[in-house]
Amino acid sequence: MKIALKSILVFFLFGFLFKGVLFRSMVKYKIGPERMIYALTDQKIIEELHQLQKEKTLSEKDIMQISRKFCQQKLSFTFEKVTSDPNEILKEGKADCIGYSALFTVVTNYLLEQQGYASSTRCRHAVGKLYVFGIDVHQYFKNPFFKDHDFNMIHNQETEESTFVDASLYDYFGIKTVSRK
């Protein structure tokens, strides 16, 4: 009994510590069209972002982490019909994957611009499909809510490197990046 309990604990500890690696090996995101990117006009959000920067130089990774945490702190996931305008979204504090991605996009692009990265790096709001072990999971859902999934691509034009982020996934599971199919 003790060995079984220890084995289960080790299994869960391993799963927790390597959840990002496990997730990225099992689930791939296929990029489809991009959604419209809103301009950040909400002065309250802009002021909060200025406070988060605190006159320091941020790396692109720092900016992604700030954007993920900002979405995590300000939003909670809902299946209800809600706005996807990031300037309006904080009034309710609820978002679906579209809202999470829209807010992540404007926060990231704003910080990239403030830190001088805007000429080389941009965040895009992508719409795509999730593939688990190579199988499109959206085909199994009849509800239009699950026809696709929104996430983000941060692309550096100088290095040609892209990082993929799912802010709603980060909110609930702490997984920082996802993999492209």
Side-chain angles (χ1 to χ4, degrees):
M1 183 68 172
K2 273 186 159 182
I3 294 173
L5 183 59
K6 286 182 182 178
S7 297
I8 290 170
L9 288 174
V10 167
F11 175 78
F12 281 112
L13 181 63
F14 178 79
F16 177 76
L17 292 175
F18 296 101
K19 64 186 173 218
V21 173
L22 293 170
F23 183 84
R24 285 185 295 276
S25 68
M26 294 183 293
V27 180
K28 306 290 184 206
Y29 288 60
K30 184 176 181 184
I31 296 177
E34 292 182 22
R35 291 208 194 271
M36 174 187 80
I37 296 178
Y38 291 84
L40 182 57
T41 59
D42 185 306
Q43 289 303 312
K44 187 176 177 184
I45 296 173
I46 291 169
E47 182 56 37
E48 285 187 57
L49 295 176
H50 281 288
Q51 293 299 318
L52 290 171
Q53 293 180 83
K54 295 181 184 163
E55 304 294 325
K56 60 182 174 184
T57 303
L58 301 172
S59 70
E60 291 178 15
K61 286 187 179 190
D62 292 335
I63 290 170
M64 284 186 272
Q65 184 62 18
I66 288 171
S67 299
R68 282 189 293 258
K69 290 259 186 216
F70 189 85
C71 292
Q72 181 184 43
Q73 292 170 353
K74 302 293 182 185
L75 300 176
S76 62
F77 193 84
T78 185
F79 288 100
E80 299 169 11
K81 181 78 172 153
V82 289
T83 183
S84 57
D85 182 342
N87 296 294
E88 299 292 322
I89 209 165
L90 297 185
K91 291 176 184 169
E92 293 292 322
K94 296 179 182 178
D96 53 15
C97 64
I98 301 170
Y100 270 88
S101 290
L103 184 61
F104 182 88
T105 302
V106 297
V107 168
T108 301
N109 282 337
Y110 182 81
L111 292 173
L112 287 169
E113 185 175 306
Q114 293 296 303
Q115 293 289 318
Y117 296 112
S119 63
S120 64
T121 306
R122 297 302 292 164
C123 181
R124 297 178 182 161
H125 184 158
V127 181
K129 303 274 186 185
L130 298 177
Y131 287 78
V132 178
F133 297 115
I135 299 169
D136 175 4
V137 297
H138 300 279
Q139 67 183 328
Y140 298 109
F141 296 99
K142 302 246 186 284
N143 187 325
F145 186 87
F146 296 105
K147 70 178 179 178
D148 53 32
H149 185 69
D150 287 45
F151 58 99
N152 298 93
M153 179 176 85
I154 300 88
H155 181 74
N156 183 311
Q157 296 170 358
E158 292 174 359
T159 64
E160 290 299 318
E161 291 180 22
S162 295
T163 304
F164 300 90
V165 173
D166 184 339
S168 58
L169 179 72
Y170 177 78
D171 188 10
Y172 283 92
F173 298 106
I175 297 173
K176 295 179 180 180
T177 60
V178 296
S179 295
R180 179 180 175 185
K181 180 174 173 51

